[in-house]
Amino acid sequence: MTAALVHAAALTGLPLVTLGGEREALIKDVVFDRGTGQVAGFTLNNPGLLSRSRKDALPWDAVHGFGDVALTIVDTSVLVPLEEVAPAAERDGADVLAGQVLTDGGTELGTVVDVILDLSARPPDVVGYEIEPGPALPGHGHRVLVPLPATGAVSGERLIVPAAATEFVADDLGVFAVTVQAFRNRPASVTEGQN
Amino acid sequence: MRLRETRQREVVDTSTAARLGRVDGAVLALDPARVHALRLSRTEAGALLSWSDLTAFGPDAVTVPGAGALREAVDDAEAAAAQADRDLLDKPAVSEFGMDLGTVLDAELDPDTGTLLAIVTDRGDIDAQRLLGVGSYAVIFRE
């Protein structure tokens, strides 16, 4: 299937629509499972002028489809209490987006400003980060996209990526799908630990 | 026949030649997609008219055999489907996976049976059998 890359932040405000054609909510935030690094689900706002946070949430596996104008669900029975998708401890804790990116070689690459998702995968694949680069990355001054390995890269205070990721940096989403593939298909490196 | 043409058409009782009301909108049913009933305005009796109770959907008027064909919604589900905000026209057309398919402009229907043949959008026609849901926000189509 063709990769469908989006900025996680771009999903904010997207309407959540049932197959019956009703708009139930708007996407508020993407919630990441800190343990696995995968998308856990989405927090929701009510639609309309008084768009208040809702007490229910959408687990990723209840999503029927991600599209350019809506995120669809079969009906509202798939929504679950907010706690099941985003435990309070994680909501109040350090946001993954505030993290620094460090290579396994010990170089600070920059600060995460957004997450890049591939919506063609289920669950949506976290394929990379948009970062505000530090001096270690070439062409610093504008934000760049850094690919992630296929498994396990989100961690606690810092995000550790293989040093080789710095050779696969992209400037925009148009080329990033190819960049991610090239990074993930590269020959195994001695600096990359296996977990 | 186009769905938009049905709007505002007079409903006439053929037994008395009296005008019973005007067509205000279509109440849709799915599987197969069809106009199940007409929603009327300016009636003295009920506000709904089953398509199966029509004598004819003529070019100038909708004819019925008597005022007894007018009725109220039989249950909550039909009452909900008959709400004006569930009309098909002028809504965003969205695929079941959330992709933009344009805006619904009209629908082509068989005047004898009320069966919907195609949904007309600003990007072309969509087979009416792909219709999955008609809500107050959008019209949803199968991929």
Side-chain angles (χ1 to χ4, degrees):
Chain A
M1 196 167 179
T2 314
L5 303 193
V6 297
H7 289 264
L11 296 177
T12 297
L14 199 64
L16 180 64
V17 177
T18 66
L19 295 187
E22 299 298 335
R23 182 180 61 167
E24 285 302 326
L26 304 176
I27 300 301
K28 183 183 176 195
D29 271 317
V30 182
V31 180
F32 298 94
D33 181 323
R34 306 269 291 275
T36 65
Q38 291 186 333
V39 173
F42 304 88
T43 56
L44 306 173
N45 279 333
N46 276 323
L49 288 175
L50 299 170
S51 59
R52 304 178 63 158
S53 293
R54 288 173 57 127
K55 303 270 186 252
D56 52 5
L58 176 66
W60 74 262
D61 56 1
V63 173
H64 185 77
F66 294 99
D68 53 357
V69 293
L71 200 154
T72 58
I73 55 174
V74 172
D75 56 40
T76 54
S77 69
V78 302
L79 300 179
V80 300
L82 184 58
E83 279 293 304
E84 291 181 25
V85 168
E90 295 203 7
R91 293 205 302 279
D92 297 340
D95 189 335
V96 68
L97 293 183
Q100 297 292 114
V101 181
L102 191 69
T103 69
D104 55 6
T107 305
E108 194 90 50
L109 295 184
T111 309
V112 177
V113 291
D114 202 356
V115 175
I116 308 300
L117 303 175
D118 178 359
L119 298 184
S120 69
R122 289 186 72 89
D125 189 6
V126 180
V127 296
Y129 292 110
E130 181 180 26
I131 68 172
E132 194 73 60
L137 273 182
H140 69 275
H142 66 281
R143 293 172 175 183
V144 294
L145 306 177
V146 178
L148 288 180
T151 54
V154 177
S155 58
E157 294 166 18
R158 285 183 164 158
L159 307 162
I160 312 292
V161 299
T166 58
E167 295 159 29
F168 295 87
V169 166
D171 288 329
D172 64 81
L173 273 189
V175 297
F176 194 53
V178 175
T179 309
V180 170
Q181 273 311 311
F183 170 67
R184 290 183 174 181
N185 294 339
R186 76 194 188 285
S189 150
V190 288
T191 59
E192 184 178 355
Q194 301 289 318
N195 11 338
Chain B
M1 188 175 78
R2 289 293 176 95
L3 187 63
R4 203 179 280 277
E5 292 171 28
T6 66
R7 286 188 165 179
Q8 296 304 313
R9 203 165 293 192
E10 286 191 355
V11 178
V12 176
D13 176 352
T14 55
S15 66
T16 63
R19 197 180 87 181
L20 298 177
R22 276 184 187 277
V23 177
D24 184 47
V27 183
L28 302 181
L30 300 174
D31 301 312
R34 62 197 184 277
V35 178
H36 155 76
L38 296 172
R39 185 181 65 245
L40 309 185
S41 60
R42 303 188 214 168
T43 63
E44 291 181 4
L48 295 184
L49 176 57
S50 294
W51 193 276
S52 57
D53 288 340
L54 300 182
T55 302
F57 207 117
D60 301 309
V62 177
T63 52
V64 295
L70 270 58
R71 62 180 180 84
E72 300 293 345
V74 293
D75 54 28
D76 289 349
E78 191 182 46
Q83 294 289 319
D85 70 357
R86 298 275 291 274
D87 272 356
L88 190 64
L89 306 182
D90 307 318
K91 293 244 170 70
V94 177
S95 85
E96 63 173 308
F97 298 127
M99 300 304 289
D100 181 13
L101 299 178
T103 301
V104 175
L105 300 180
D106 212 336
E108 189 68 38
L109 70 154
D110 178 336
D112 292 329
T113 62
T115 305
L116 292 177
L117 305 172
I119 309 299
V120 181
T121 77
D122 57 350
R123 300 193 197 158
D125 291 3
I126 302 174
D127 184 342
Q129 297 319 314
R130 286 177 58 195
L131 202 56
L132 196 55
V134 181
S136 60
Y137 180 75
V139 180
I140 310 293
F141 292 91
R142 288 188 186 88
E143 282 284 311

